Amino acid sequence: MTTRNRQATALTLACLCAAALAGCNNKSPEAGRPNTAPPQSSATTNTTASTPSSAGSTPPSTPTDAPTRPALAAGSTLAAGEAFIGYYVDLLNYAYSTGDAELLLAESDKGCVGCKGIAGYVRKINAKNGGLQGDFKDRLIDVKEIYRGKSGHLGGSASLKSGTFQERATPGASPVPQPAGTGTMEFTLSPSAGNWVMYEMQINE
């Protein structure tokens, strides 16, 4: 698990176990792995499905345009929830690249502790200020499950993958190598103005 995920995970474990998923039930009529394909990344980002690069490779280019919610992620269906996860990963990568977490927070519930943890991290450590170099972007491999809870939330998990990269805690600090790896995003979505937003999340290695 990378530092960026470790910081958010410590804060969100209790939230996910208690409040976030309290109304979710895998036995819901709509529970389970949806038949839709994994959501595609929005067209305005530079997220790719390439294999992880080596530590000395050229860092991914910084996106010039912010991601926008794709049409597939609009609405309050299970399919829209699954597509929203792909969009949210794009927002994470945009924040890692630019240090701008405002769009990420705009698509998150105001009480999302994990989202605030990631936002605090990227404001200090990001590719724009040299804090991240290499193949640091997360790639959505699969939404493993997504299900509707009695409280109106969606719960589920998704598989993520990142390549090798270097992380600097401060501009003058020595780079810390981070290995390529896979992780699981545990998420809960809540409805807001007819669409899904991130209610709580954590990323585990």
Side-chain angles (χ1 to χ4, degrees), residues 75-117:
S76 56
T77 64
L78 282 177
E82 184 178 17
F84 175 79
I85 298 303
Y87 170 50
Y88 202 81
V89 171
D90 285 344
L91 292 174
L92 285 170
N93 288 328
Y94 181 77
Y96 294 145
S97 297
T98 64
D100 181 359
E102 296 310 307
L103 292 175
L104 180 76
L105 293 176
E107 296 290 359
S108 305
D109 184 86
K110 290 182 179 180
C112 179
V113 178
C115 309
K116 292 177 182 177

Side-chain angles (χ1 to χ4, degrees), residues 40-57:
Q40 299 177 353
S41 298
S42 61
T44 55
T45 65
N46 291 316
T47 303
T48 64
S50 61
T51 56
S53 63
S54 63
S57 64

Side-chain angles (χ1 to χ4, degrees), residues 101-146:
E102 296 310 307
L103 292 175
L104 180 76
L105 293 176
E107 296 290 359
S108 305
D109 184 86
K110 290 182 179 180
C112 179
V113 178
C115 309
K116 292 177 182 177
I118 292 288
Y121 169 86
V122 300
R123 287 174 178 141
K124 296 177 181 178
I125 303 173
N126 56 72
K128 186 175 181 180
N129 68 10
L132 296 173
Q133 290 184 312
D135 194 8
F136 58 84
K137 290 186 178 180
D138 288 324
R139 295 166 181 80
L140 177 62
I141 304 303
D142 189 25
V143 176
K144 297 190 291 187
E145 64 174 345
I146 187 167

